[in-house]
Amino acid sequence: SWDSREPQRSRSMQVRLALLHVAAVTVGFLQCAADAAPLPIYLKHGLDWTEGSCLSRELQSPVNFDSQLTEPPGSLLDYHYEPIGNVTLKLAARAGTLSVDLSQKLWGGVSYDDAWFPLTRIDFRGPAEHLIKGARSPLEVQLVHQQESDPARLLIISSLISCKEPPQAGVAAVTEDYVQPVLQVNSEKFLQHFLAVRPPAAEGQSTDVVLEGDFIDLRAFLEASSGRSSSFIKYAGSLTAPPCIERTTWLVRQTRRVASNAQVKAFADSIYALTDNKGNFREVMPMNHRVLSVVGLRWLSMADMNNRPTLPRGPNPRTDDELNANRLVRQVLPKTKQVLDQTMDLAKRLQRAETAADAEWDGVAARLAAKSLAADQAATAYGDVRPPVALTSSMIA
C-alpha cells in the first residue's frame, strides 16, 4: 500500500532545510560584507566618500560655527557619569581613529528627548573636525552615546582642544624613545590618562589604559574651570565617517579646552602616522538652514536620576549593580525584539512553504487516484483483470 503522507513529510522537510540554509547564508554574507567594508580614506578628508549618506549635504557633519558662541544655554540636559577606575581600557586604532570602547560596562550617559543615551566610546580626532569661525583646533575629543532603545540614533558631546604651539600639520614623529608628557599647569588631566604609553600608530594596534588607583573624571572634563557645566551648541547632524548616518545629535562645546603642547603632539604623531600624514578629520559640510541652540549639561547623582526615563517604574534599584542590570536589560530588549521579529518572519515563511508543499502533494495524490481509477475502469470495460497499479515517477509527473 502507498502512504501519500510520506512524500509530503519529505518535501516539507526539504523546504524547511532549504530556507534555513538560505537564511544562514544570508546572515553570513551580511557579516562578511560588514567585515569587508572599506576603511575611511582621508586623502580628500571625506569629500570623495560615497558610502551610505556620505554624498548627502543636508544634515552632514562636521560644521563651522560663526554664531551661538557666547549665547547662554536655553535649556539643560541631565547626565550622570561614574568615575572610570579600577579597570584596564584599550586605546585602539580603528578605521583611522583612536577610540576607547566603553560599551562593556555602563559608565553613565545623557538623558535627551525622553530617551537614555549610554556612553559607548571615546574618539580622538586630529586635527579637529568642527571649526570655530573657520579656525581648526589641533585636537577634538568626542564622547559617543547610543540611544538605549534605538542604537542607530547617536548623541555626541564634542570638546575642541587647543594648545600654545600646535604640532605641524601632516608631520608624524613616531620614535622609539617615547616619554609620557609631564603634567604642567596647562595640561589636560583627562588626556593624560591615555598617554602613559605611546598611542597606537598603526591600524589594528592598541595600548592598555591602566586605571588602578586613579580614575577618569568625565564630569570634570565637561565642566568649566569655575566648576559649572560648560555650554554646548546643539545641532542635528551625522556621523563623520562612513556610512555618515544622519541620525546624530551633536553637542559641541562653545569654548576650547587647553592642553599642553606635549599632550597634543603625542596624539597628533600617532594620528598622522595612522592616516599617512593626513589627519583623521572630515571636511566641514554646509550648515544649510539647520537650527542651532545652546544647551547646558546638568550633572545629577545616581539617587537623583531615579526620576529619569532610564529608571524602571516601581521600586527604585537598591544598589548600583541593580541599576546597571536594569539598564542592561533595557539595552538588550530592542535587539531581542529584532531577533524575535526575524524568527517569527522566518517561521511564517516556513509555514507558507509547508502549506504550499502540502497542497502540491495533495494534487499529486489526487492525480494518482484518478489515474488508478481510470485504469480500473478501462480494465473492467475490456474484461482485463490487472494487478493494482504501481506508482511510478512518470505517473507522478
Side-chain angles (χ1 to χ4, degrees):
S1 63
W2 175 71
D3 188 350
S4 62
R5 293 174 296 176
E6 290 301 325
Q8 295 181 37
R9 291 175 185 149
S10 177
R11 185 60 174 264
S12 298
M13 182 60 68
Q14 291 176 2
V15 171
R16 287 192 178 110
L17 292 175
L19 286 175
L20 287 172
H21 175 71
V22 170
V25 170
T26 301
V27 171
F29 173 78
L30 293 176
Q31 183 62 49
C32 291
D35 294 341
L39 297 176
I41 303 300
Y42 289 96
L43 182 64
K44 297 183 179 180
H45 295 290
L47 296 179
D48 54 344
W49 294 343
T50 59
E51 298 87 353
S53 301
C54 294
L55 286 176
S56 169
R57 293 297 182 264
E58 293 299 317
L59 298 174
Q60 289 293 294
S61 297
V63 296
N64 172 64
F65 299 107
D66 288 318
S67 62
Q68 304 292 331
L69 295 173
T70 58
E71 296 295 321
S75 61
L76 296 175
L77 300 183
D78 294 333
Y79 79 98
H80 177 87
Y81 292 131
E82 292 289 329
I84 303 176
N86 297 319
V87 67
T88 297
L89 305 176
K90 291 287 187 181
L91 177 61
R94 297 181 301 182
T97 301
L98 297 180
S99 297
V100 178
D101 183 8
L102 298 173
S103 62
Q104 300 305 310
K105 182 175 179 180
L106 292 173
W107 296 105
V110 180
S111 178
Y112 170 67
D113 198 19
D114 293 327
W116 175 250
F117 288 77
L119 177 66
T120 58
R121 74 175 189 270
I122 302 173
D123 291 342
F124 297 91
R125 301 278 182 177
E129 297 192 298
H130 290 86
L131 308 185
I132 293 182
K133 292 189 174 180
R136 192 182 301 278
S137 300
L139 189 64
E140 181 171 343
V141 178
Q142 299 171 353
L143 307 183
V144 182
H145 307 71
Q146 289 182 291
Q147 183 177 329
E148 194 172 41
S149 58
D150 184 2
R153 188 181 177 201
L154 304 178
L155 183 146
I156 303 178
I157 301 177
S158 173
S159 290
L160 307 181
I161 308 294
S162 66
C163 62
K164 186 176 181 179
E165 298 177 359
Q168 184 178 353
V171 177
V174 177
T175 61
E176 294 297 329
D177 55 344
Y178 174 83
V179 178
Q180 182 182 20
V182 177
L183 277 175
Q184 303 172 348
V185 175
N186 61 346
S187 296
E188 172 57 67
K189 186 177 181 181
F190 169 80
L191 297 179
Q192 192 73 4
H193 295 290
F194 306 99
L195 299 176
V197 297
R198 178 189 295 109
E203 184 68 30
Q205 289 184 352
S206 64
T207 57
D208 289 340
V209 181
V210 181
L211 300 171
E212 297 294 341
D214 196 6
F215 61 90
I216 297 175
D217 189 350
L218 291 175
R219 177 185 178 185
F221 180 65
L222 293 182
E223 288 179 345
S225 57
S226 60
R228 294 180 299 178
S229 176
S230 299
S231 297
F232 296 80
I233 303 174
K234 180 171 75 72
Y235 78 98
S238 72
L239 291 175
T240 58
C244 310
I245 298 173
E246 295 179 335
R247 299 192 64 197
T248 303
T249 299
W250 283 89
L251 306 180
V252 182
R253 194 187 191 111
Q254 282 180 326
T255 58
R256 301 176 180 90
R257 290 193 69 91
V258 177
S260 70
N261 296 335
Q263 287 179 319
V264 173
K265 187 176 185 304
F267 277 101
D269 286 344
S270 291
I271 291 174
Y272 281 130
L274 184 61
T275 58
D276 195 23
N277 290 326
K278 299 300 179 182
N280 62 2
F281 66 93
R282 189 189 188 192
E283 283 290 357
V284 293
M285 296 288 111
M287 182 68 77
N288 295 324
H289 300 289
R290 281 181 274 187
V291 176
L292 302 179
S293 61
V294 179
V295 300
L297 295 177
R298 179 174 59 186
W299 187 88
L300 294 180
S301 67
M302 190 64 73
D304 291 335
M305 290 293 287
N306 58 4
N307 291 323
R308 297 292 85 202
T310 58
L311 293 177
R313 297 179 181 179
N316 294 328
R318 295 167 296 179
T319 65
D320 288 349
D321 288 340
E322 288 187 6
L323 179 61
N324 284 333
N326 284 329
R327 287 179 175 172
L328 282 172
V329 170
R330 290 171 63 86
Q331 192 172 11
V332 169
L333 279 177
K335 298 179 182 179
T336 304
K337 182 179 182 301
Q338 182 180 6
V339 172
L340 180 60
D341 291 342
Q342 293 173 346
T343 303
M344 293 300 295
D345 178 67
L346 179 59
K348 290 179 181 178
R349 289 188 282 119
L350 287 171
Q351 182 62 44
R352 289 196 296 268
E354 183 176 9
T355 300
D358 290 344
E360 180 180 348
W361 282 99
D362 286 344
V364 170
R367 291 196 300 273
L368 289 173
K371 289 185 178 183
S372 177
L373 178 60
D376 290 343
Q377 291 175 343
T380 301
Y382 291 98
D384 184 12
V385 179
R386 298 180 180 178
V389 177
L391 299 180
T392 65
S393 58
S394 61
M395 295 178 67
I396 296 176

